[in-house]
Amino acid sequence: MQVEEPRIAPLARNCIAAGAVLMVVAVMLGAFGAHALQSQLTAKQLASFQTGVHYHMLHSLGLLLVGIVAQVTAAGARLRWSARLMLAGIAFFSGSIYLMTAGAPRWLGMVAPIGGVSFMVAWALFAWHAWSGRPRQASGGT
């Protein structure tokens, strides 16, 4: 009797892959900031850049966590939107900080709060998903 290997769910695969790639980018940007930008930026600019990297890393790990949870629970709309909003938060919050550090206009800073709200809603949806406690269905290897 051959036992079928469990397959990774599509949402789990996408979140884990995106989270891992985004962690690589965050580590690269953190190293770039610590070495190449340190002599080019003011202390305030460098601190802002490091804040962007910090939130980028935290929410890349958040995506990894969403992926793991998606593999062991029924991945519904709340979990999918949590992943999407973590991605959006990284783009809007950290992205706007990175761009302003590179010389983009200061008005771009108005985009960062959109990212911050995205992060908050993503975590709220993640918590809601966890509280719903829906186990993953054992059907057909998915």
Side-chain angles (χ1 to χ4, degrees):
M1 178 174 165
Q2 186 173 355
V3 176
E4 185 176 325
E5 292 274 335
R7 293 188 295 183
I8 190 165
L11 179 62
R13 180 181 55 248
N14 293 340
C15 288
I16 292 168
V21 168
L22 286 167
M23 277 300 290
V24 170
V25 173
V27 170
M28 289 169 56
L29 287 169
F32 180 69
H35 299 288
L37 294 180
Q38 191 169 25
S39 63
Q40 306 296 317
L41 302 176
T42 67
K44 186 177 178 181
Q45 288 173 314
L46 188 58
S48 181
F49 185 84
Q50 290 170 336
T51 298
V53 170
H54 180 77
Y55 278 80
H56 182 153
M57 283 186 167
L58 287 174
H59 292 87
S60 297
L61 289 172
L63 273 172
L64 291 171
L65 183 59
V66 169
I68 292 166
V69 169
Q71 184 62 23
V72 299
T73 66
R78 290 185 292 265
L79 202 56
R80 291 181 200 291
W81 275 104
S82 178
R84 290 174 185 143
L85 289 169
M86 284 191 194
L87 284 168
I90 292 169
F92 288 123
F93 184 82
S94 297
S96 66
I97 291 172
Y98 300 149
L99 290 171
M100 286 189 304
T101 302
R106 300 300 302 164
W107 63 261
L108 193 59
M110 294 186 297
V111 172
I114 296 168
V117 170
S118 296
F119 289 147
M120 289 184 267
V121 175
W123 286 109
L125 289 169
F126 187 79
W128 189 5
H129 175 82
W131 280 317
S132 73
R134 293 178 24 216
R136 184 176 168 91
Q137 299 297 320
S139 64
T142 56

